[in-house]
Amino acid sequence: MREQPYRIGVIPGDGIGPDVTSEALKVLAAAAPVAGMRYELIEYPWSSALYLDDGVLMPETALEEYRTLDALFLGALGDPRVERGVIERAVLMTIRLGLDLYINLRPVQLYSATLTPLKNVEPSDVDMVVVRENTEDVYVGLGGTMRRGTPDEIAVAEMVFTRRGVERTLRYAFELAASRRRHLTLVDKANAIRAQEIWRRTLEEIAPEYPGVETDAMYVDAAAMFMVTDPSRFDVIVTTNLFGDILTDLGAAIQGGLGGAASGNLHPGQVSLFEPIHGSAPDIAGKGVASPVGAVSAMSMLLDYIGEREAADMIGIAVKELLSSGRVPSADARSGLTTEQVGTMIADEVRQMAASPD
Ligand code: ATP
């Protein structure tokens, strides 16, 4: 057991963020003693409410403090009363870029055939991980508009890929594939967007260093189709920031909806951030019906990342057991259970597992 307690930063955020974060922490509190791990939570107040009340946004100096932590957990950000993007840029984008979290990792796993909108698909058909590049592409913000508001208006956004950014993402994906079913699919649109050919060239160049991993490359339109018609063909998908953004929401839909999906923003070996993939869901905020499954799964990813595999696996198995048995019928607002009830059920399942490990 590690001598020092882990130091985990927590940003509950807006809307349903604080509700699902409470449940993720409840489950962490159940798993930690079983796995013999100690931790300390450092809570940060960054949210739209704080911005509206006091005009305070997360200062960039907070990054220095984050670098001393073992990991960060984020609930959700965004509030219809604040201009779209303000709070997300101040917190999420600042952390992603400031800590150089160049991998966005999104597992897509189906726990029960009843959860997916796809026909004739079994849980064993859907088990993939999307590795999305997280710092480049159109998200670098290069571009602008000319002759705004006139019939001659021009709007431009540059898609940026660096050899360094592409290579480190591909290497991470190769290593991940080597630890799974050893199949890596590169998804791009290199036929129409010539700049994306850098991905194919780099893949071909470094592939010989990973002889155990089989690779293929696919255009994003075909990948979207196959995710729906034949998801079993995917193990690890590696893709650009923009395509990853879109494909991972499709992945979430396939696994049963936004409420159940989790992600990690990683800089392997350094402090990284974990979050459910859903937003603040203003339509259901305060109603107590948000599913905490995505947040709890993000906590499991966090634990796995910091090396607490036992705690991570227990949480993963508990979530899987509750969803596959139907005791938690869905990971959306229509499960008939409250946010708190689902969190408590997962925590209880973890404790029971510990009491009877077989
Ligand atoms: P963002 O741009 O921040 O991702 P968004 O409005 O596109 O925000 P969400 O806030 O994630 O996306 O909400 C999209 C839909 O999914 C909403 O109808 C919301 O109620 C639903 N939803 C999101 N998260 C959950 C959850 N944890 N449980 C139940 N329903 C959810």
Side-chain angles (χ1 to χ4, degrees), residues 197-214:
E197 187 251 341
I198 188 175
W199 284 86
R200 298 221 169 187
R201 234 182 320 116
T202 310
L203 179 92
E204 276 163 28
E205 210 178 297
I206 67 173
E209 293 178 46
Y210 306 91
V213 177
E214 192 190 328

Side-chain angles (χ1 to χ4, degrees), residues 103 131 166-186 199-216 235-238:
I103 298 292
V131 175
V166 169
E167 185 172 333
R168 64 184 182 173
T169 305
L170 288 172
R171 287 192 184 279
Y172 179 86
F174 265 113
E175 274 159 32
L176 180 64
S179 72
R180 289 174 47 95
R181 300 197 304 278
R182 293 186 289 284
H183 188 266
L184 178 63
T185 305
L186 168 64
W199 284 86
R200 298 221 169 187
R201 234 182 320 116
T202 310
L203 179 92
E204 276 163 28
E205 210 178 297
I206 67 173
E209 293 178 46
Y210 306 91
V213 177
E214 192 190 328
T215 62
D216 64 357
D235 175 17
V236 176
I237 292 177
V238 62

Side-chain angles (χ1 to χ4, degrees), residues 236-251:
V236 176
I237 292 177
V238 62
T239 190
T240 64
N241 204 342
L242 177 62
F243 296 155
D245 191 358
I246 300 162
L247 289 182
T248 51
D249 267 27
L250 178 57

Side-chain angles (χ1 to χ4, degrees), residues 76-94:
L77 293 167
D79 185 309
R81 295 171 298 166
V82 178
E83 189 193 333
R84 207 176 164 75
V86 170
I87 205 86
E88 293 87 341
R89 272 197 302 276
V91 182
L92 196 52
M93 295 314 283
T94 303

Side-chain angles (χ1 to χ4, degrees), residues 16 84 258-259 278-281 283-284 290-291 332-333:
I16 63 171
R84 207 176 164 75
L258 281 180
H278 60 73
S280 56
D283 54 333
I284 54 167
S291 172
D332 56 26

Side-chain angles (χ1 to χ4, degrees), residues 26-37 303 310-312 314-315 347 350-351:
K26 187 189 279 178
V27 175
L28 171 64
V34 180
M37 81 169 259
L303 291 167
E310 188 188 350
M314 287 174 73
I315 297 174
V350 165
R351 282 194 207 93

